[in-house]
Amino acid sequence: MKLTKEDNHYHLTSKKRFEGSLIGLEIIQKSFDFAYEMAYGEGFHRNCRSGGQSARTKSEIFQNTFQGKIAEIVLYENLKANVIETEEPDFSIHGKGTWDDTDLKANGKSVCIKSAAFFSNLLLLETKDWDNEGRYIPNISNENATDAYDYFVLARINPDIKSLLKDIPEEKSQLMKKIREQDWLCDIPGCCSIKTLKHIISLGHILPQNAMLNGKTKMDAENYYIQSGDLFPIEKLYTVLKEK
């Protein structure tokens, strides 16, 4: 289902309420250590989103990486709880020119995990990263890498890390103190397959760069989108992976 559009303003039509479960402190600590090293240590992340116009600060890279790693670990734990053979999340620190082949591999299938704040209702994929066949463009030229994900999962995190750390000094102990003070929650509103991605690409489900989402969020990059209410329940993914 498409977003409604009036001039440059886009609005949601198919939402899912956030229903988060508490995240264990061990997951928070692992995600923090990884994200801090990637943002402030030996790691490397792109300063701009694909097709984006705003350069990310180290703080923003930390926030994005922290949120993303939480989502990855939570899904991994859920897959294991459903007795699905799943490779452990990658905690290796990559330098420039190297990135993860895939987020998770479960029962031989590649899973792309997109994280967002708890109030988000869109699974977003930058259009510059995906071709018309739903392949991940940065991996196409690498014969040893996965260029087509089998499944896509949206995970949402509460609190919103961006708002939480807005006025916190970028010093490790200060960041950790603020983060450990919070109760962290995660929900997984849904998933889809590469077949769905190809379908929304063919239909032109695109949120343009500089578009205003819900009257307050200006889009930095152009994205393909799927609304949370149009995603399949995550239980469908568990069922499919058990069958393969």
Side-chain angles (χ1 to χ4, degrees), residues 197-237:
L197 175 58
K198 290 179 183 179
H199 183 59
I200 65 113
I201 289 174
S202 70
L203 293 177
H205 284 210
I206 292 175
L207 190 54
Q209 185 178 57
N210 296 322
M212 295 300 297
L213 178 62
N214 293 328
K216 56 185 178 181
T217 302
K218 186 176 181 180
M219 300 303 298
D220 175 56
E222 181 182 85
N223 284 266
Y224 295 117
Y225 68 83
I226 306 173
Q227 297 190 66
S228 63
D230 296 328
L231 294 169
F232 293 104
I234 190 61
E235 289 76 17
K236 184 176 178 67
L237 176 62

Side-chain angles (χ1 to χ4, degrees), residues 111-122:
V111 183
C112 176
I113 305 157
K114 304 302 290 187
S115 65
F118 68 95
F119 50 77
S120 176
N121 276 284
L122 292 177

Side-chain angles (χ1 to χ4, degrees), residues 151-215:
Y151 301 103
F152 299 81
V153 173
L154 175 63
R156 302 183 292 193
I157 312 296
N158 186 15
D160 171 30
I161 185 70
K162 181 178 180 181
S163 298
L164 181 70
L165 300 183
K166 184 177 180 181
D167 299 315
I168 303 300
E170 293 179 58
E171 197 274 320
K172 189 173 184 179
S173 63
Q174 293 287 332
L175 293 172
M176 190 70 250
K177 180 178 183 295
K178 188 65 176 179
I179 284 172
R180 288 176 68 96
E181 289 174 351
Q182 313 303 311
D183 286 331
W184 291 87
L185 305 173
C186 178
D187 84 342
I188 301 178
C191 62
C192 69
S193 69
I194 189 172
K195 181 178 179 181
T196 301
L197 175 58
K198 290 179 183 179
H199 183 59
I200 65 113
I201 289 174
S202 70
L203 293 177
H205 284 210
I206 292 175
L207 190 54
Q209 185 178 57
N210 296 322
M212 295 300 297
L213 178 62
N214 293 328

